Amino acid sequence: MKIKSVIRSSFKNQIFFVLLTITLIMLITGSIFTIQGFQNKLISDYKERNIEQNKELTGQLYQDFSMISQVLYDLSVSDTIIKALNKKNVTTIKVYSSIYEISADIKDFASVSIYQGSECRYSTDSSNLSIKLPDNYSILAEAERRKGKVCYSLDPTNSSSDPDILFCLKLNTTEKAAYAVIRVKQNVIAQRLQDKINARDGFILTDAYFRPYSQLGTAKNGNELAAIKKNLFSHIAYDHDSNNNIYMSEIGETGLISIYITPPALDESSSKVAYQILIIEALISILVCLIIARQLSNYLSRPISTLSQGMKRFRNGDFETIIDLDINDEFHQLAEGFNKMTSQLKETMDDRVAQERTINETRIAMMQSQLNPHFLYNTLDTIKWVTKANNIPEVSTLVASLAQILRTSISENQFCPLSKELSLVESYCKIQQIRFDNRFLLKIDVVDNILNAIIPKLILQPIVENSIIHGLEDKDDGKITVSAIKNGECLIISVEDNGCGISDDMILAIQNSEKGSLNGHIGLKNVNDILKLYYGSEYGITALRPESGGTLIRLSLPYSENEPLT
């Protein structure tokens, strides 16, 4: 009575009690029907699949055994083989040619032997020539009794747990009795059926008296066959008292029987788990009802709370915030106004970002197009001079190298693999070596596994040009070394020369990276700006003067084999 009084005294409690009762009844009833229906459907589908699988399995065996029987009959009427066995003048080559021609369809999974008495005369498997079969029992004796019919037996000469299966037919000879024997190994049968039997299935091949010829998978231990034979001898269903699904089929008119064994679709533990889930769902439903009852009491304040939470998310940077109210009143109008405002603001911000991106791309394209046009004029002048003065093959080198550089510079692609950039540097240095009469050497020291790194194009040529023009101007044994390493997530590219060395003021200007500090050094400035615009202020170029002399310029950028998203 006290519980009823508490329930009736509160409308919230009444709603809670009704919701809880209805939810539990619907949940438990629906869950039981769902579990039962699911189990029945699963078992039915599993049985249909097994029946179809058994048909395919039996069909595969019937096809193989039919081909074997046909080969045996063809061998029994082969004039070449019969004449050879009757000691007519027939060469061994003709006999084997006839055997291989007749058995072509089964050569992938069976071997053919011709026996005369217990001795093997011919065989497509050289290891079978030394195998003698007893002619007073087993397969040869059975073939003698059943003249004109194919007989089956396990290999009596093999005492292992997986003896070969023999198919035998007596041949019509006037001399000593002869037989055609086809041998199929157990592992071959397993391979032929592997697509139709998984690791949890079993398969048994027997004769009409349930003598096993092959036992595969979970049936290999023989327990299932023993249980089947016991049930049949007791005149009860062969699958009586078995937890597994057993499908028994005759293989055409061969007299052989296939037994396909599969585990149950659902075991006892699966049913227990299903009902455990049902109990857990019932407990969860009670908690849900408690939450719903509490939420109902706060119904009137929910629209304001929703608006407040949406505005808070927007303040925290979630510009995708959308407030959706299920009511059609003043709060709904406020939500629509808020959604419209955030949508317009987001569009404005997206337009601003797109404009900034376009400006950056334009600046980068302009800087890359400015990379020392003086070099092109000097190169053309050099080509003109070499052509008039010497008329030598260097002109071809200059033109080809210049063409490669021009193609790269006018390409719309703003990025290229490191390998292509190094090739461009080589082409550039070929031109300069001709211009400076081979007074410097270029060495590239880069391992193959980083050659696919993607970098902005035309960032190494200005650095190398700086080394040649300013560092090696007065040297006759100049040397420039270009190297690259992957350091963690960074790609470090170094350009080192043995020239006069960079000044302290220039090193300081590069380190400061302040606006205007590199004015007048268009190559270094543009490369540094390109790297910082694409990858951020933490990347760019650094310079130092090694103890051995010369100048070392390092370019740092993130290692990636894909173009950055600008």
Side-chain angles (χ1 to χ4, degrees), residues 488-551:
E489 298 298 323
C490 288
L491 177 65
I492 307 297
I493 306 175
S494 302
V495 179
E496 183 176 1
D497 64 63
N498 62 345
C500 60
I502 190 171
S503 67
D504 292 337
D505 292 340
M506 193 64 184
I507 293 175
L508 185 61
I510 293 174
Q511 289 176 345
N512 290 338
S513 296
E514 295 178 358
K515 185 174 181 181
S517 62
L518 291 176
N519 287 344
H521 302 277
I522 186 170
L524 291 174
K525 179 181 183 301
N526 283 350
V527 172
N528 199 40
D529 288 348
I530 287 172
L531 293 177
K532 292 184 180 298
L533 279 173
Y534 272 124
Y535 304 113
S537 59
E538 65 270 27
Y539 299 100
I541 64 174
T542 57
L544 57 92
R545 192 167 52 246
E547 293 181 0
S548 58
T551 302

Side-chain angles (χ1 to χ4, degrees), residues 46 49-51 53-54 57-58 193 196-206 210 214-229 238-239 242-249 258-265:
Y46 189 73
R49 186 194 70 82
N50 287 341
I51 291 173
Q53 194 82 343
N54 183 54
L57 187 151
T58 305
L193 302 180
K196 301 173 179 60
I197 300 177
N198 60 43
R200 298 180 63 201
D201 295 344
F203 170 74
I204 305 172
L205 177 66
T206 74
F210 294 95
S214 181
Q215 299 182 91
L216 305 175
T218 57
K220 195 168 185 178
N221 56 21
N223 294 335
E224 287 290 346
L225 181 58
I228 291 171
K229 291 165 70 173
Y238 60 83
D239 57 352
S242 175
N243 293 327
N244 295 323
N245 302 305
I246 302 175
Y247 305 89
M248 190 180 299
S249 305
S258 72
I259 302 173
Y260 180 42
I261 303 167
T262 65

Side-chain angles (χ1 to χ4, degrees), residues 84 161 189 205 207 251 271 334 344 357 369 432 454 495:
S161 59
I189 293 179
L205 177 66
D207 62 9
I251 304 176
S271 299
L334 285 174
Q344 291 176 346
R357 184 185 297 113
S369 66
Q432 294 289 33
I454 299 299
V495 179

Side-chain angles (χ1 to χ4, degrees), residues 120-353:
C120 182
R121 291 283 304 278
Y122 309 98
S123 178
T124 59
D125 186 348
S126 59
S127 62
N128 294 337
L129 287 172
S130 61
I131 298 177
K132 289 186 177 182
L133 291 177
D135 55 3
N136 57 344
Y137 76 100
S138 189
I139 190 70
L140 299 186
E142 182 70 11
E144 181 67 28
R145 288 192 300 271
R146 302 182 62 191
K147 296 178 181 179
K149 292 187 178 181
V150 177
C151 303
Y152 316 93
S153 172
L154 294 177
D155 185 0
T157 66
N158 191 336
S159 59
S160 67
S161 59
D162 295 314
D164 301 342
I165 301 178
L166 304 182
F167 299 76
C168 182
L169 180 66
K170 185 178 179 182
L171 304 180
N172 298 321
T173 58
T174 57
E175 294 291 330
K176 190 176 181 179
Y179 310 88
V181 177
I182 293 180
R183 184 183 299 270
V184 181
K185 298 183 179 299
Q186 293 286 349
N187 64 329
V188 173
I189 293 179
Q191 291 173 3
R192 300 284 288 179
L193 302 180
Q194 64 181 356
D195 293 335
K196 301 173 179 60
I197 300 177
N198 60 43
R200 298 180 63 201
D201 295 344
F203 170 74
I204 305 172
L205 177 66
T206 74
D207 62 9
Y209 303 101
F210 294 95
R211 289 178 296 195
Y213 288 155
S214 181
Q215 299 182 91
L216 305 175
T218 57
K220 195 168 185 178
N221 56 21
N223 294 335
E224 287 290 346
L225 181 58
I228 291 171
K229 291 165 70 173
K230 180 181 177 181
N231 289 337
L232 291 174
F233 293 154
S234 301
H235 303 289
I236 57 179
Y238 60 83
D239 57 352
H240 175 72
D241 205 25
S242 175
N243 293 327
N244 295 323
N245 302 305
I246 302 175
Y247 305 89
M248 190 180 299
S249 305
E250 293 183 2
I251 304 176
E253 299 176 356
T254 62
L256 298 175
I257 296 174
S258 72
I259 302 173
Y260 180 42
I261 303 167
T262 65
L266 290 172
D267 54 20
E268 185 177 355
S269 61
S270 299
S271 299
K272 287 183 179 179
V273 169
Y275 286 101
Q276 287 173 356
I277 293 174
L278 175 60
I279 295 174
I280 293 173
E281 289 180 347
L283 295 175
I284 293 174
S285 68
I286 295 175
L287 179 61
V288 171
C289 287
L290 288 170
I291 295 173
I292 292 175
R294 183 179 179 182
Q295 292 300 320
L296 286 175
S297 64
N298 298 322
Y299 174 77
L300 293 177
S301 62
R302 182 179 299 170
I304 297 176
S305 176
T306 303
L307 284 169
S308 176
Q309 291 174 3
M311 293 177 181
K312 184 177 180 180
R313 290 198 302 272
F314 185 81
R315 288 197 305 271
N316 291 335
D318 184 3
F319 300 117
E320 302 288 341
T321 300
I322 297 295
I323 297 177
D324 185 16
L325 295 179
D326 299 332
I327 53 178
N328 189 18
D329 55 12
E330 290 79 5
F331 289 115
H332 182 71
Q333 296 175 5
L334 285 174
E336 285 187 338
F338 177 83
N339 294 339
K340 185 176 181 180
M341 178 193 69
T342 57
S343 177
Q344 291 176 346
L345 182 59
K346 183 177 182 301
E347 290 177 359
T348 301
M349 294 180 66
D350 289 342
D351 291 339
R352 179 68 180 272
V353 170

